[in-house]
Amino acid sequence: MTKARHTPVAPTRTQRLASGAEIDAHRHDDHQIVYAGRGVLSVTTSAGSWVAPATRAIWVPANTVHAHQAHGDLELHLVGLPAWENPLRLDAPTVLSVSLLLRELIIAYTRTEDDDSPERMRLHAVLLDQLRISVQQPMHLPTPSNPLLRTVCDLLRADPSDNRTLAELGREVGASDRTLSRLFNKDLGMTFPQWRTQLRLHRALVLLAEQTSVTKVANQCGWSSTSAFIDVFRRAFGHTPGTHSR
């Protein structure tokens, strides 16, 4: 992501994107809240990717080069905030839990004409209050910088259902499982099982947005059974994948 458009002001608006549509790499001088009221949104930076269904929003700090992709028909809500206004005190992209109240605030704020009316200023203030208490969610899938580790991760990205052990993957790339395990912790800040679970959850969200059945998602993402997938998904997102896909 070395080449990117520079759009100084982060827009506040609602827009719709067809499944598979992309917004190419760009950056703003402002912070931005990115929320998918319908569909699933992925945000990619040089540091990795973040995926957010309708129960999550993504915080994109000022001057972060990022690109968007829509999965399923996407209703995209964008909230721009000036660089000095950082209610979250975060300087890296982060997935946030979206309460029912925060959801309605984001939708209302992005559908209202941008003006300085007292009503809009009050809406803005309540939106900031709700952002301050929103819970951060560990839904980041980091991109490795180490070439050896990148090869392993690329194998799994190509086929999340690949159930080979780290030792088996290591034999393919010419490294021991001990070396790879150390690299996962050092380069990505997580264990191999944690990274693979994140990858599978990211892919599951995309497949569900494309109306893939829960059973097929479980199979294509490498879970041993549909019930095992449902259990992991519920613990990650607070609801079942069947509820999510409707």
Side-chain angles (χ1 to χ4, degrees):
M1 284 201 181
T2 53
K3 295 182 180 179
R5 290 182 292 109
H6 178 213
T7 307
V9 178
T12 295
R13 65 170 182 245
T14 298
Q15 68 183 99
R16 286 174 172 77
L17 295 174
S19 185
E22 299 179 357
I23 299 175
D24 62 357
H26 61 286
R27 67 181 178 89
H28 309 291
D29 295 340
D30 300 333
H31 304 303
Q32 193 171 54
I33 299 291
V34 186
Y35 175 67
R38 184 178 65 245
V40 169
L41 171 74
S42 63
V43 171
T44 304
T45 76
S46 59
S49 59
W50 291 258
V51 175
T55 54
R56 304 288 188 269
I58 301 175
W59 167 261
V60 182
N63 291 308
T64 300
V65 176
H66 60 288
H68 305 303
Q69 184 171 9
H71 306 285
D73 291 331
L74 190 72
E75 183 181 275
L76 183 62
H77 299 274
L78 302 170
V79 178
L81 296 172
W84 54 264
E85 198 168 45
N86 188 341
L88 297 161
R89 300 182 183 276
L90 294 172
D91 58 6
T94 306
V95 173
L96 307 171
S97 180
V98 174
S99 65
L100 292 176
L101 176 56
L102 182 55
R103 170 187 165 85
E104 295 306 318
L105 286 167
I106 291 173
I107 291 173
Y109 192 74
T110 57
R111 285 182 176 167
T112 305
E113 184 179 348
D114 195 0
D115 58 36
D116 294 325
S117 67
E119 293 81 9
R120 186 169 177 81
M121 297 303 290
R122 287 194 293 270
L123 186 60
H124 180 84
V126 178
L127 176 60
L128 291 183
D129 284 342
Q130 288 300 304
L131 284 172
R132 288 187 186 97
I133 62 173
S134 59
V135 179
Q136 298 176 36
Q137 301 290 329
M139 280 306 297
H140 176 209
L141 186 68
T143 298
S145 58
N146 180 277
L148 188 63
L149 197 58
R150 192 180 303 122
T151 301
V152 172
C153 291
D154 285 347
L155 288 171
L156 297 175
R157 285 180 187 274
D159 181 13
S161 67
D162 187 338
N163 275 313
R164 281 180 290 178
T165 65
L166 196 55
E168 290 169 331
L169 290 165
R171 283 194 287 274
E172 178 160 339
V173 302
S176 69
D177 58 340
R178 191 171 183 176
T179 296
L180 291 175
S181 180
R182 186 176 67 251
L183 286 172
F184 266 100
N185 280 286
K186 181 181 178 181
D187 199 358
L188 302 180
M190 58 178 62
T191 65
F192 168 63
Q194 287 172 332
W195 190 91
R196 179 151 66 180
T197 297
Q198 287 288 73
L199 171 69
R200 289 174 170 178
L201 285 170
H202 277 214
R203 186 63 60 85
L205 286 171
V206 170
L207 290 171
L208 289 168
E210 295 170 352
Q211 303 302 311
T212 307
S213 72
V214 172
T215 300
K216 284 186 177 179
V217 172
N219 181 259
Q220 291 179 27
C221 292
W223 272 280
S224 58
S225 65
T226 302
S227 59
F229 165 52
I230 291 171
D231 182 58
V232 173
F233 191 96
R234 183 192 291 114
R235 282 189 276 116
F237 299 111
H239 58 270
T240 65
T243 302
H244 173 88
S245 61
R246 284 200 290 270

